[in-house]
Amino acid sequence: MHNCSVNPKGQFSEFRASIRRILMDKWDPIGVKDVPQAADEYDNYIDGVDVLLRHGASDKELSEHLIRIETQRMGLSDGSGEPLLPSALRDAAIRELQALGEKLAPSSSPQSRKGFRHWKLFSKHLSPAFAKTQERRQRGLCIACGYSPCQCSKPKRKTP
């Protein structure tokens, strides 16, 4: 079984499906692209390629990643540790992966993971009451009564 993310309907996202297709059709270090039962053979490697593309990896970084998979995870190397797959096949796959990566919207390529943990990114999913409280805070009003100065009996709830 593969460990890549699927959408709620159990299907790959279009982007990840494209990575899967490129790995199978262009890279295919074990030569199984014509075997229907092996359609998910490279699914364990989609996550790593996805992350690299979303972070704008160079051709060299992608090449090193694929070589590491070939030689260390699959054991497809010669006696000196060099990959068995001809570099032309790997380079063709990298060109297609980079072209796919260029199609990503700039907003889908986060510069840091820290921003994704921030509550403001999820504000469109908040309750109306929370949105009302946020609006009052921004306007400098008491979050309980909605007036400035506070007219309620809970002055501690006033924003500074």
Side-chain angles (χ1 to χ4, degrees):
M1 186 167 136
H2 57 79
N3 64 358
C4 16
S5 304
V6 292
N7 67 20
K9 294 182 181 179
Q11 300 171 339
F12 286 114
S13 71
E14 184 178 329
F15 181 72
R16 295 171 69 79
S18 297
I19 293 173
R20 182 188 212 194
R21 181 188 50 77
I22 293 168
L23 292 179
M24 181 59 79
D25 294 343
K26 300 295 179 183
W27 181 51
D28 192 25
I30 58 176
V32 295
K33 68 180 173 187
D34 295 327
V35 180
Q37 295 84 356
D40 64 350
E41 185 66 33
Y42 304 127
D43 285 1
N44 287 330
Y45 311 120
I46 293 174
D47 286 340
V49 173
D50 187 348
V51 169
L52 287 172
L53 290 176
R54 290 183 188 278
H55 287 90
S58 67
D59 288 357
K60 182 180 179 186
E61 290 170 317
L62 281 169
S63 178
E64 289 170 351
H65 179 72
L66 294 178
I67 289 172
R68 199 169 30 257
I69 291 170
E70 293 167 30
T71 58
Q72 295 174 7
R73 293 187 69 185
M74 294 181 173
L76 300 174
S77 59
D78 61 15
S80 64
E82 293 298 314
L84 295 175
L85 186 72
S87 61
L89 294 177
R90 188 178 314 103
D91 293 344
I94 290 169
R95 278 192 301 276
E96 286 207 28
L97 288 168
Q98 288 289 24
L100 178 65
E102 289 171 4
K103 293 178 185 176
L104 286 174
S107 63
S108 66
S109 299
Q111 295 303 315
S112 74
R113 293 181 57 109
K114 186 175 181 182
F116 280 90
R117 296 183 184 140
H118 199 277
W119 66 270
K120 286 184 179 178
L121 293 175
F122 302 102
S123 62
K124 67 181 178 183
H125 304 291
L126 300 176
S127 70
F130 189 80
K132 185 177 179 181
T133 301
Q134 290 304 104
E135 180 184 343
R136 287 180 177 175
R137 281 189 179 143
Q138 289 173 351
R139 294 175 53 201
L141 305 174
C142 172
I143 60 172
C145 66
Y147 293 104
S148 181
C150 178
Q151 297 178 1
C152 69
S153 61
K154 300 176 185 174
K156 292 181 182 175
R157 299 181 85 184
K158 198 187 270 188
T159 58

